[in-house]
Amino acid sequence: MLTLQTQTFFPLILNPSKTLIPKFKTLNYSQSPGQIPIPTSNSGLRFHDKLLYLKTLNVNPQKALQQNPNFRSTPLESLKLVENCLLSMGIERGAFGRIFDMHPQLLSCDPYFDLYPVFGFLLNEVKIPFVDIRKAVVRCPRLLVCDVDEKLRPTLRFLRNLGFVRMNAVSCQTTLLLVSSVEVTIMPKLDYLMSLGFEYDEVARMVVRSPALLTYSVANNLMPKIEYFLSVMNGDLGELKRFPQFFSFSLEGKIKRRHRLLAERGLTMPLSEMLKISDGEFNNRLIEMKLRLLSRR
C-alpha cells in the first residue's frame, strides 16, 4: 500500500509530463554548493543515523560518500523518499543495496524529477506491466539514472523501427537495450553484421530474434566467433540467420569443444542442435550418430 508521500507522486506515472529540469537535480541542503555543514552535536547525530540507515539498506557508507559527496548534506528524510518511491513500484528493499551500490547518485536524487518520469516512461510508453517493473529495474538499475528525453525515448524509437514491436516488443527482459547508445553501442553491431554480407532487414530479424546480439562486443565476441565459424567450421552464413543465438554461447567453453568432438568422429550436426542441448544429451547424440554411421558400413 502506498504511503501518503508516494501517493503525491503517483499522478505523474499515470499522466507523465515532460521532465521539468535536467536529470538528477541534487537536493543540496548546505548553504553553498559543496559546503559541508559545520558539525554540531545534533548534526553529528543525524549524520550517524544516516550512516546506520545506509547499512540497513546493505549499502557501504564509505563507498557511498566517496562516490556521491552530495549525500553528506542530504537529509535522511530525502533518502526515505527515494526508498518509498522504489517500494511503491514493487522493488523490494533487498534489492536496494545492489541498486545504490551501482548508482550511488540515487541516494541524493529527487524522486519527483528523477525517478517517477522513468517509471512513467516504462509503464506508459514501453508498456511494461506494473508487476514487471521490478524485474526491469533489478535487471538493469541503470534505467533509473538515464534521462527519458535524451536517452530512453530516442533508443526506444530506434528499437521499434528495427522491429521490436508487437510480440517482439521491448519487455522487462530486454530493457537493457534502452540504456544503450544507438550511435556508440547498437549501430556498430549492425554495421559489422552487414559487413559480412547480410542485408539490413536480415540483420534486423536476427537481433529481434536474439536481442543480446546488440549487447555483445564486436571485437571480443562477434568477430572471434565469426572467424571460427567460417574458417574452422566452414559454416554457412545462412545458418546464422536461422540461429543468431549462436553468438550467445561461449566460444571456448562450448562452440569449439563440441565442434571438435563432432569433427574428430567425422560427424556433423545443425548449429542449433549442437549448442542448445545439454552436455549429457549431446554425448548421447554423439553415440547414436556414431552407431548409425557404423551400421551403414
Side-chain angles (χ1 to χ4, degrees), residues 277-295:
I277 58 180
S278 66
D279 285 342
E281 188 174 353
F282 179 78
N283 291 331
N284 290 336
R285 293 275 186 94
L286 286 182
I287 295 173
E288 293 172 2
M289 293 171 68
K290 189 64 177 179
L291 290 175
R292 285 199 300 267
L293 187 62
L294 291 173
S295 66

Side-chain angles (χ1 to χ4, degrees), residues 37-54 71-77:
I38 300 174
T40 64
S41 58
N42 288 335
S43 64
L45 182 59
R46 288 194 297 269
F47 184 71
H48 179 69
D49 289 342
K50 189 162 57 175
L51 297 185
L52 290 178
Y53 188 74
L54 283 183
F71 178 68
R72 181 177 294 274
S73 58
T74 302
L76 178 58
E77 291 72 19

Side-chain angles (χ1 to χ4, degrees), residues 119-215:
F119 289 129
F121 169 78
L122 294 175
L123 287 166
N124 296 296
E125 298 185 45
V126 187
K127 303 297 183 182
I128 294 179
F130 180 85
V131 294
D132 288 337
I133 291 293
R134 177 191 64 82
K135 297 178 185 176
V137 172
V138 171
R139 184 179 293 269
C140 182
R142 190 178 166 193
L143 285 165
L144 300 179
V145 296
C146 286
D147 185 271
V148 172
D149 292 326
E150 294 182 7
K151 168 72 75 173
L152 300 179
R153 188 173 290 120
T155 303
L156 176 64
R157 188 180 304 117
F158 181 87
L159 292 172
R160 284 178 171 167
N161 289 336
L162 197 59
F164 286 86
V165 292
R166 294 183 289 277
M167 295 297 294
N168 296 310
V170 174
S171 69
C172 64
Q173 305 294 326
T174 53
T175 45
L176 176 64
L177 299 178
L178 293 173
V179 304
S180 302
S181 166
V182 172
E183 295 78 12
V184 177
T185 305
I186 296 178
M187 282 307 302
K189 278 83 168 178
L190 303 181
D191 290 340
Y192 174 71
L193 292 171
M194 287 189 289
S195 74
L196 300 174
F198 294 116
E199 298 293 333
Y200 181 84
D201 290 344
E202 293 174 328
V203 172
R205 286 192 291 271
M206 290 171 66
V207 299
V208 168
R209 290 187 62 187
S210 182
L213 264 174
L214 296 178
T215 67

Side-chain angles (χ1 to χ4, degrees), residues 211-226:
L213 264 174
L214 296 178
T215 67
Y216 297 145
S217 164
V218 172
N220 298 326
N221 186 305
L222 304 186
M223 290 181 67
K225 290 176 182 177
I226 281 289

